[in-house]
């Protein structure tokens, strides 16, 4: 019996205008949106590749370990086409800087020249958000007259006069309705996949396909929740028009008003400290650090005035933080060895201090975001899109695990540098071989054993000598965090529960209301 | 006769469920938005005042020596717009701080209590609420005005009377517009009353007038969707079909087009990437360095004073080249933004938002104002430094350079202070006028279409 009812519901839906509109929405808007966001993804990918290559090239030009501050880049995930998430909001390049602990950072700081910050009169659409809006609207359109429509036509009385239990009628209608919604959903998904795969930049791995499958199932669950909401309202009202009007009001309140209102409420009741306050606090710590460092340099200066230290060349090595000394006296080398050892200790100590400040700021942001997330949970559209973003690897957690990995990598780099420097303590600040240092060039120059011209010639050859570059073949490599699709899904267990529970709850509600429904 | 039809339409709509439903939805949203914006404004103003006080402190500290004032970088802060509750679109993104150094404008960026973990800007301003709820209400009120009557059979009866069809249509339009107007009036009155009672935002006469014009714009916006609803209703023969088509139209006009304007503009008009701009900056600087190095090698720089002049000129040239590149970059970004906005103007919601932006002095217009005010102030400040420096005979008069300005103290009270002037009423009106007119034309066009369609409508 359920099958008969479902079949009838399915066929009558298939021939309706709303079906045509649902198909049109899915088959026009989704592919168009996908085309645009695939292009955006392509651009992001290009930028990523350029950055990554530039950062690798930088490493091949270093002379001393004090300049070694590798940068790591987060590859934009393919599924960011479907859910852009925070890809354009958060920095995807992180310095695994020995002197600064990586932390979540927003894009578009002071020196962001490429970001157009004047636009954004409206937040730009994401495929997943388009999906959330279209699917819920179509579901509501399909469901609003499941009960009332039959009552108005008089067919409900006829159906119920047969020996068929009411729950079977409702279940049949539900299955038929979902079945007919399945068609535009599948068509829309296929269209999105086709447009995505037309682009040469897109290559989907097995886990991506699994994620897409899960997104499809999630869309079905989300769709079903709104369909059941429609059935509930339909079982509450007598006329289809009334039911539809209530549903549309509820729909706009749930999908648009609630998420935006909850963001704004969270921002007002749990304000975060302003960014520049954190920056000022950090600057205070940094000044302290600079004081400690300049104290050591002052001793160096005093000793140089007394004629104990001699430096013939001091320049920056490819990096504002790397100092390269050449042609130094043995005493100077000994002094610098100790000094740079101390610098490293000081820098690491203060890096940890500043990391604490950074993290407490990010924790504030996270608390505010969490509140907004909780407040907007009843909207169903938010839980749905958050879960899809998590699956796509573009949510906060994905960025956090990337930063966490970068933090570990920084420790690895620190250990590597320490190991290298123990074997050759001078390599921190000079690329002169040990026997060159023993030659004591400054004294030779003073005693006119060598000429300035000769020294200049030596400097030139030293600059171009590839043997003086750092050998970084044994340096640990950064490996991006690898998370399984299910692991990412399980991060949003709360949203999943909300989606599933709302299905169950709404079905029970619709059922209990339909049991008392007066079919006349 | 028009009046009779309108009266009946008003009666029908007001007694139906949709009227209280949308009245409550709209009023509650408006109230919530107003209350939240009051606190939001209070906090932004407090933050702004702290920053301005810091700026003054810095000035009085630097007033000990003119060179400190003239050669240092300073910050300008944008005053939080009073009427941000009307339209705060994109306010979370646009720069609110500009760095400048005497007559030079530097980079612009944003400071404040933003949260980069939110994907989109938070928009719960009046424009957002009107843009969504009122347009949806207009569609739901108007979708069955013609096709519904046909289905009920009453349209035949009406046509049997000696009433011109145009009057029937206008009666329906006016009746529905009156109902929508009532919802708008109630919502706006509640919101404005709440704003006045809470009183954190000092609203003045001009602001009330702006709110009133915004209200008129909202009415026009509602009229566009109402006319569209009547148009679709007069080409379809079933109320259901008409609603389904209107919802399709609504999703495209209200959700999709505004959300894609910027993305499409980004695809059509490319702005420079970070590395491109940085490359240009580096190239310009290298060329200037080379040129100055040549001068130095030629032996033109001999005395200590020459040396200082040379240095000052070098830095001035570099700054001029840099700011030219920055300005070109900004112009490109503005062009892209304008393109995106023009694309968004296809949608009534886009037009309506730009009307609100113009009236509230937020968004792109507010940004341009801040830019212009900042530049004017920087020039004024530069003139002040030059005038003060001329009084000192020991100074080298190398303006805005560390090595070339007077080191005499300045009276801190004399230093000009940046005061962002609020846009005058005529400026606000000018900013809103074009979009308001297009919105009006859209309503007229849709109504003409409805008129034509209804004249041919088969009432059987």
């Amino acid at each position: 019996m359920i099958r008969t009812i479902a079949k009838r519901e399915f066929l009558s839906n298939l021939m309706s205008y709303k079906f045509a509109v649902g198909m049109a929405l899915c088959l026009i808007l989704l592919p168009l949106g996908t085309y645009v966001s695939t292009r955006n993804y392509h651009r992001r990918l290009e930028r990523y590749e350029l950055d990554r290559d530039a950062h690798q090239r930088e490493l091949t030009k270093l002379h001393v370990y004090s300049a070694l501050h590798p940068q790591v880049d987060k590859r934009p995930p393919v599924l960011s086409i479907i859910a852009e998430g925070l890809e354009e909001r958060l920095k995807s390049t992180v310095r695994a800087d020995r002197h600064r602990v990586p932390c979540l950072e927003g894009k578009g700081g002071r020196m962001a020249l490429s970001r157009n910050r004047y636009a954004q009169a409206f937040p730009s659409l994401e495929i997943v958000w388009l999906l959330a809006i279209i699917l819920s609207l179509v579901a509501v359109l399909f469901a609003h007259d499941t009960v009332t429509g039959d009552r108005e036509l008089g067919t409900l009385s006829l159906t119920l006069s047969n020996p068929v239990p009411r729950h079977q009628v409702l279940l049949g209608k539900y299955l038929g309705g979902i079945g007919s919604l399945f068609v535009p959903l599948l068509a829309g998904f296929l269209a999105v996949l086709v447009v995505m795969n037309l682009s040469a930049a897109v290559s989907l791995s097995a886990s991506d396909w699994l994620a897409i499958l899960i997104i499809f199932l999630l869309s079905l669950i989300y769709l079903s929740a709104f369909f059941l909401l429609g059935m509930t309202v339909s079982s509450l009202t007598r006329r289809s028009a009334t039911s539809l009007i209530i549903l549309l009001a509820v729909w706009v309140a749930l999908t648009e008003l609630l998420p935006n209102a909850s963001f704004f409420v969270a921002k007002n009741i749990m304000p975060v400290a302003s960014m520049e306050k954190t920056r000022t606090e950090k600057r205070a710590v940094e000044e302290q650090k600079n004081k400690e460092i300049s104290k050591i340099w002052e001793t160096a200066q005093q000793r140089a005035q007394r004629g104990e230290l001699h430096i013939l060349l001091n320049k920056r090595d490819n990096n504002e933080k790397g100092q390269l000394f050449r042609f130094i006296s043995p005493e100077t080398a000994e002094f610098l060895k100790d000094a740079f050892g101390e610098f490293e200790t000081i820098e690491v100590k203060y890096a940890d201090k500043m990391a604490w400040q950074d993290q407490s700021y990010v924790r504030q942001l996270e608390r505010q975001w969490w509140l907004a997330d909780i407040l907007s949970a009843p909207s169903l559209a938010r839980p749905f899109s958050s879960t899809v973003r998590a699956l796509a690897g573009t949510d906060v957690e994905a960025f956090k695990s990337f930063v966490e990995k970068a933090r570990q990598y920084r420790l690895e780099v620190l250990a590597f540098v320490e190991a290298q420097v123990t074997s050759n303590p001078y390599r921190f600040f000079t690329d002169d071989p040990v026997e060159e240092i023993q030659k004591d060039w400054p004294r030779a120059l003073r005693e006119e054993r060598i000429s300035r011209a000769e020294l200049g010639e030596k400097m030139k050859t030293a600059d171009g000598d590839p043997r003086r570059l750092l050998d970084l073949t044994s340096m640990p490599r950064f490996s991006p965090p690898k998370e399984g699709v299910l692991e990412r899904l399980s991060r949003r267990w709360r949203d999943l529960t909300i989606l599933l529970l709302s299905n169950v709850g709404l079905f029970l509600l619709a059922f209990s209301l339909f049991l008392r429904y007066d079919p006349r | 006769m028009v009046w009779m039809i309108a009266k009946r339409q008003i009666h029908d709509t007001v007694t139906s469920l949709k009227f209280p439903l949308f009245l409550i939805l709209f009023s509650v949203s408006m109230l919530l938005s107003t209350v939240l914006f009051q606190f939001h404004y209070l906090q932004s103003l407090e933050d702004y005042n702290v920053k301005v006080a810091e700026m003054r402190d810095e000035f009085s500290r630097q007033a000990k020596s003119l060179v400190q004032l003239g050669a240092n970088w300073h910050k300008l802060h944008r005053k939080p717009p009073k009427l941000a509750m009307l339209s705060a679109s994109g306010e979370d993104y646009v720069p609110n701080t500009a760095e400048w150094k005497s007559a030079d404008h530097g980079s612009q960026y944003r400071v404040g209590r933003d949260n980069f973990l939110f994907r989109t800007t938070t928009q719960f301003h009046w424009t957002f609420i009107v843009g969504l709820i009122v347009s949806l209400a207009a569609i739901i009120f108007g979708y069955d005005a013609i096709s519904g009557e046909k289905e009920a059979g009453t349209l035949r009866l009406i046509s049997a009377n000696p009433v011109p069809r145009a009057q029937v249509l206008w009666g329906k339009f006016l009746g529905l517009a009156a109902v929508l107007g009532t919802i708008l009036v109630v919502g706006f009155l509640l919101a404005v009353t709440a704003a006045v009672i809470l009183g954190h935002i000092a609203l003045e006469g001009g602001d009330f007038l702006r709110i009133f014009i915004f209200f008129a714009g909202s009415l026009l916006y509602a009229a566009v969707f109402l006319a569209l609803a009547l148009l679709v209703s007069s080409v379809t023969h079933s109320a259901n079909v008409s609603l389904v088509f209107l919802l399709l139209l609504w999703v495209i006009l209200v959700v999709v087009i505004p959300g894609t304007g910027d993305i499409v503009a980004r695809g059509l008009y490319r702005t420079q990437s970070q590395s491109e701009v940085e490359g240009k900056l580096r190239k310009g600087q290298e060329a200037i360095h080379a040129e100055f190095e040549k001068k130095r090698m030629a032996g033109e720089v001999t005395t200590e004073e020459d040396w200082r002049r040379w240095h000052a000129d070098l830095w001035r040239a570099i700054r001029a080249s840099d700011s030219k590149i920055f300005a070109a970059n900004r112009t490109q970004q503005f062009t892209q933004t304008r393109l995106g906005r023009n694309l968004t103007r296809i949608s009534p919601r886009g037009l309506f938002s730009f009307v609100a932006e113009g009236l509230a002095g937020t968004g792109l217009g507010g940004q341009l104002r801040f830019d212009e005010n900042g530049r004017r102030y920087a020039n004024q400040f530069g003139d002040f430094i030059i005038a003060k420096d001329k009084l000192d005979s020991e100074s080298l008069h190398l303006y805005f350079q560390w090595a070339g300005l007077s080191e005499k103290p300045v009276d801190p009270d004399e230093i000009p202070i940046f005061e962002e002037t609020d846009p005058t009423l005529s400026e606000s009106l000018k900013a809103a006028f074009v979009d308001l007119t297009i919105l009006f034309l859209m309503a007229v066009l849709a109504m003409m279409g409805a008129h034509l369609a209804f004249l041919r409508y088969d009432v059987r």
Side-chain angles (χ1 to χ4, degrees):
Chain A
M1 198 60 202
I2 292 183
R3 270 191 60 182
T4 325
I5 297 171
K7 206 169 139 190
R8 188 194 141 238
E9 189 74 20
F10 179 73
L11 289 175
S12 69
N13 271 341
L14 226 51
M15 281 177 295
S16 63
Y17 268 104
K18 52 194 181 191
F19 184 78
V21 165
M23 278 303 257
L25 278 173
C26 287
L27 281 179
I28 298 169
L29 294 182
L30 287 177
L32 274 179
T34 313
Y35 172 70
V36 175
S37 70
T38 307
R39 280 184 55 160
N40 282 350
Y41 164 71
H42 193 73
R43 202 156 30 222
R44 266 203 301 281
L45 195 67
E46 269 176 4
R47 204 163 51 209
Y48 156 77
E49 278 165 359
L50 279 176
D51 283 349
R52 183 198 55 194
D53 293 348
H55 296 150
Q56 273 173 2
R57 226 174 305 122
E58 254 167 41
L59 288 184
T60 60
K61 290 180 188 159
L62 298 181
H63 291 261
V64 287
Y65 283 114
S66 65
L68 180 66
H69 296 285
Q71 300 193 58
V72 291
D73 303 273
K74 180 180 183 289
R75 189 189 170 88
V78 185
L79 292 185
S80 66
I81 295 176
I82 293 179
E84 192 184 79
L86 295 169
E87 284 289 307
E88 298 286 343
R89 281 293 262 165
L90 294 181
K91 259 189 195 156
S92 51
T93 298
V94 167
R95 278 180 96 100
D97 196 320
R98 301 201 319 284
H99 302 163
R100 222 194 125 239
V101 182
C103 194
L104 270 190
E105 265 180 284
K107 246 184 199 174
R110 282 173 64 161
M111 287 321 286
L113 300 166
S114 62
R115 194 175 159 70
N116 187 349
R117 283 166 293 184
Y118 308 109
Q120 295 289 350
F122 299 95
S124 53
L125 269 189
E126 235 181 326
I127 299 296
V128 54
W129 192 247
L130 203 58
L131 212 58
I133 285 184
I134 294 178
L135 289 183
S136 50
L137 182 64
V138 175
V140 160
L141 268 181
F142 274 50
H144 79 279
D145 59 351
T146 38
V147 178
T148 48
D150 269 5
R151 191 200 67 84
E152 282 169 334
L153 285 176
T155 43
L156 192 60
S157 296
L158 294 179
T159 316
L160 292 178
S161 64
N162 292 314
V164 45
R166 282 199 177 192
H167 72 264
Q168 285 200 4
V169 176
L170 201 69
L171 205 60
K173 282 180 171 297
Y174 169 71
L175 291 177
I178 288 291
S180 51
L181 279 170
F182 189 79
V183 180
L185 177 67
L186 188 67
F189 251 80
L190 288 178
V192 167
L193 285 179
V194 165
V195 175
M196 248 168 93
N197 281 299
L198 282 180
S199 165
V202 176
S203 62
L204 294 165
S205 67
S207 69
D208 289 334
W209 283 108
L210 180 62
I212 289 173
L213 186 71
I214 295 176
I215 293 173
F216 183 75
L217 292 177
L218 266 178
S219 311
L220 212 58
I221 295 172
Y222 171 71
L223 196 71
S224 148
F226 267 91
F227 191 82
L228 285 167
L229 181 71
M231 287 181 85
T232 309
V233 175
S234 192
S235 315
L236 263 175
T237 48
R238 310 287 299 161
R239 290 181 50 227
S240 298
T242 323
S243 145
L244 184 54
I245 285 157
I246 295 176
L247 279 171
L248 285 177
V250 171
W251 171 75
V252 82
L254 282 185
T255 56
E256 289 280 2
L257 295 180
L258 182 62
N260 280 297
S262 56
F263 285 3
F264 202 37
V265 168
K267 278 198 174 175
N268 275 299
I269 64 177
M270 212 184 253
V272 295
S274 63
M275 205 184 293
E276 62 273 24
K277 203 179 151 219
T278 321
R279 219 175 278 152
T280 326
E281 284 168 8
K282 262 171 77 182
R283 210 171 295 139
V285 176
E286 213 168 341
E287 263 161 33
Q288 248 178 353
K289 178 189 84 178
N290 289 341
K291 226 180 258 170
E292 283 194 33
I293 286 181
S294 57
K295 218 183 275 167
I296 298 174
W297 281 124
E298 268 163 35
T299 19
Q301 232 156 21
Q302 285 162 8
R303 289 187 60 185
Q305 274 166 8
R306 271 183 266 138
E308 292 169 15
L309 299 180
H310 294 285
I311 296 164
L312 288 189
L313 178 86
N314 173 14
K315 67 174 188 179
R316 304 257 170 226
D317 181 21
N318 267 320
N319 180 317
E320 51 181 303
K321 284 182 174 171
Q323 280 192 303
L324 171 61
F325 293 88
R326 267 187 206 145
F327 310 112
I328 43 184
S329 64
E331 303 89 68
T332 318
E334 284 314 303
F335 172 80
L336 285 176
K337 192 181 83 182
D338 295 342
F340 271 87
E342 265 177 75
F343 289 158
E344 194 73 357
T345 328
I346 294 169
E347 292 277 12
V348 171
K349 183 178 82 188
Y350 278 98
D352 289 339
K353 266 191 193 176
M354 282 198 264
W356 191 82
Q357 286 172 320
D358 276 339
Q359 272 162 18
S360 65
Y361 176 65
V362 170
R363 258 199 297 278
Q364 276 188 19
L365 300 186
E366 277 183 308
R367 263 203 301 276
Q368 192 185 62
W369 182 79
W370 174 84
L371 179 65
D373 209 37
I374 292 278
L375 287 176
S376 61
S379 88
L380 298 180
R382 266 285 293 181
F384 168 67
S385 51
S386 306
T387 316
V388 173
R389 280 180 204 133
L391 280 169
T394 54
D395 62 339
V396 185
E397 299 294 328
F399 277 87
K400 268 170 75 181
S401 55
F402 172 71
V403 167
E404 187 48 49
K405 209 65 190 196
R407 252 179 233 154
Q408 285 170 20
Y409 180 60
R410 169 179 172 263
L411 295 180
E412 284 169 30
V413 172
L414 273 175
F416 165 75
V417 170
E418 208 184 311
Q420 297 294 311
V421 168
T422 353
S423 64
N424 178 0
Y426 304 112
R427 209 52 214 265
F428 234 133
F429 51 87
T430 181
D431 56 357
D432 284 343
V434 182
E435 57 281 7
E436 291 267 314
I437 296 174
Q438 303 304 334
K439 276 188 190 161
D440 199 353
W441 292 98
R443 178 171 302 151
L445 187 69
R446 254 177 300 154
E447 293 170 0
E448 294 182 349
R449 273 188 280 129
I450 55 158
S451 65
R452 268 203 179 273
E454 203 179 327
L455 200 63
E457 204 52 46
K458 274 199 88 64
M459 272 186 204
K460 235 183 244 169
T461 42
D463 269 341
D465 187 359
R467 280 170 306 173
R468 286 176 175 251
L469 291 175
L470 280 186
D471 177 25
L472 293 176
T473 42
S474 59
M475 191 173 83
R477 298 207 168 269
F478 178 72
S479 58
K482 282 205 170 52
E483 281 177 308
V485 177
L486 295 176
E487 201 180 325
R488 278 184 264 162
L489 186 66
S490 64
R491 274 206 305 254
R492 305 300 302 188
W493 62 270
R494 206 185 58 218
D495 289 338
L496 269 176
T497 323
I498 288 170
L499 284 175
L500 290 171
L501 276 187
S502 62
N503 265 289
V504 175
L506 284 168
F507 187 80
L508 290 178
L509 194 61
F511 180 62
S512 63
L513 286 170
F514 185 63
L515 281 187
R516 298 147 193 244
Y517 196 74
D518 183 1
R520 277 166 303 171
Chain B
M1 200 59 201
V2 173
W3 174 232
M4 293 277 287
I5 294 167
K7 219 163 94 181
R8 194 188 132 235
Q9 192 68 43
I10 292 173
H11 182 261
D12 278 0
T13 319
V14 169
T15 49
S16 71
L17 178 74
K18 44 196 171 188
F19 177 69
L21 202 62
F22 279 95
L23 185 67
I24 290 170
L25 200 59
F26 182 64
S27 307
V28 169
S29 302
M30 286 291 274
L31 265 179
L32 184 63
S33 158
T34 312
V35 172
L36 288 174
F37 261 105
Q38 292 270 328
F39 293 112
H40 182 74
Y41 178 75
L42 207 62
Q43 182 154 65
S44 344
L45 197 66
E46 201 184 296
D47 288 349
Y48 168 75
N49 285 336
V50 168
K51 278 183 261 175
V52 169
E54 275 170 12
M55 194 172 78
R56 276 175 204 255
D57 276 357
E58 203 183 89
F59 273 172
S60 45
R61 242 181 294 123
Q62 293 177 345
K64 281 179 210 137
S65 158
L66 188 70
V67 65
Q68 290 270 345
L69 276 177
N72 254 320
W73 283 97
H74 305 286
K75 277 182 201 146
L76 287 184
H77 300 286
R78 185 168 169 208
K79 203 168 154 191
K82 225 197 245 176
L83 288 179
M85 62 183 169
L86 288 193
S87 163
S89 51
E91 281 293 300
D92 299 1
Y93 276 134
V94 290
N96 59 2
T97 305
E99 277 199 341
W100 59 285
K101 178 181 174 173
S102 295
D104 277 323
H105 234 53
S107 55
Q108 291 192 349
Y109 52 94
R110 189 167 174 82
V111 297
R113 299 172 185 271
D114 301 324
N115 188 341
F116 51 69
L117 302 182
F118 287 105
R119 200 188 98 78
T120 54
T121 56
T122 42
Q123 37 171 6
F124 200 62
H125 39 96
W126 292 6
T127 313
F128 174 75
I129 295 164
V130 174
L132 280 173
I133 299 182
V134 172
S135 57
L136 194 63
I139 280 176
I140 287 176
F141 285 11
Y143 80 97
D144 59 351
I146 311 292
S147 46
E149 293 246 15
K150 202 214 90 170
E151 281 180 328
T154 41
L155 195 59
R156 259 171 105 169
L157 296 179
I158 296 174
S159 310
N161 292 315
V163 198
R165 280 199 176 190
Q167 286 198 7
V168 176
L169 191 71
W170 277 103
K172 286 193 171 292
F173 178 78
L174 289 177
L176 289 170
V179 178
L180 278 173
T182 314
I183 291 181
L184 278 171
V185 167
V186 173
F188 269 81
L189 277 182
L190 278 174
V192 173
T193 317
V196 171
I197 290 174
L198 284 170
H200 295 322
I201 305 174
L203 295 173
E204 294 154 9
D207 298 325
F208 286 113
L209 193 59
R210 285 188 186 94
I211 292 176
F212 181 75
I213 297 167
F214 176 70
F215 169 74
S218 310
L219 264 182
L220 260 185
Y221 178 68
V224 172
F225 277 92
L226 199 55
L228 273 178
L230 288 179
L231 170 64
V232 174
S233 193
S234 334
V235 290
T236 51
H237 284 261
S238 135
N240 256 331
V241 177
S242 127
L243 182 57
V244 166
F245 273 113
L246 279 169
L247 284 176
L248 173 72
L249 207 61
W250 186 84
V251 167
I252 292 174
L253 288 182
V254 174
V255 180
V256 176
I257 293 179
T260 42
D262 283 335
I263 308 179
V264 175
R266 255 186 278 162
L268 291 176
Y269 183 93
R270 223 179 68 87
T271 51
Q272 298 172 85
S273 73
Q274 178 91 19
S275 52
E276 273 174 304
V277 182
E278 278 171 359
K280 273 188 188 170
L281 288 173
R282 206 169 33 239
K283 232 181 186 174
Q285 287 167 6
E286 276 167 9
I288 290 166
H289 268 296
E291 186 192 326
F292 273 77
E293 203 58 25
K294 224 186 272 166
K295 255 190 219 167
R296 198 170 63 96
M297 289 302 196
E300 283 175 32
V301 188
T302 45
T303 62
E304 169 71 18
E305 202 187 312
D306 276 352
W307 182 249
R308 279 161 78 174
R309 271 185 206 289
W310 177 84
H311 215 257
D313 287 345
L314 171 69
W315 281 109
R316 195 173 301 142
I318 284 180
R319 297 226 7 89
S321 132
D322 282 5
S323 24
K324 218 195 255 168
I325 292 163
F326 280 133
N329 190 37
R330 212 172 297 158
T331 315
Q332 276 194 349
Q333 291 186 347
F334 275 132
T335 313
Q336 192 190 51
T337 308
R338 285 216 181 83
L339 180 64
R341 287 164 77 91
N342 285 337
L343 289 173
T344 315
R345 283 197 163 89
I346 306 168
S347 140
R349 189 178 172 205
L351 287 169
F352 175 60
S353 295
F354 299 145
V355 168
E357 260 185 37
L359 287 171
T362 53
L364 188 65
Q367 186 58 37
L368 289 171
R369 270 190 73 73
F370 176 55
D371 244 28
E372 197 192 300
N373 281 337
R375 196 160 296 136
R376 195 180 309 132
Y377 171 68
N379 288 337
Q380 188 194 346
F381 189 86
D383 291 344
F384 167 76
I385 298 284
I386 292 172
K388 281 281 159 197
D389 190 60
K390 281 204 173 124
L391 299 178
D392 184 6
S393 53
E394 285 167 33
S395 161
L396 283 178
H397 305 308
L398 297 174
Y399 293 118
F400 320 131
Q401 302 297 332
W402 280 106
L405 277 178
S406 158
E407 284 177 23
K408 296 238 162 93
V410 195
D411 180 8
D413 296 333
E414 280 181 56
I415 305 171
I417 289 291
F418 179 63
E419 201 81 53
E420 203 178 1
T421 52
D422 291 321
T424 60
L425 201 59
S426 65
E427 277 173 332
S428 301
L429 285 179
K430 207 180 138 204
F433 177 72
V434 175
D435 292 319
L436 214 50
T437 316
I438 305 177
L439 208 56
F440 177 71
L441 288 178
M442 245 182 201
V444 170
L445 212 66
M447 205 48 205
M448 270 165 64
H451 203 147
L452 278 177
F454 187 57
L455 284 187
R456 296 151 180 254
Y457 195 71
D458 182 3
V459 295
R460 279 167 303 168

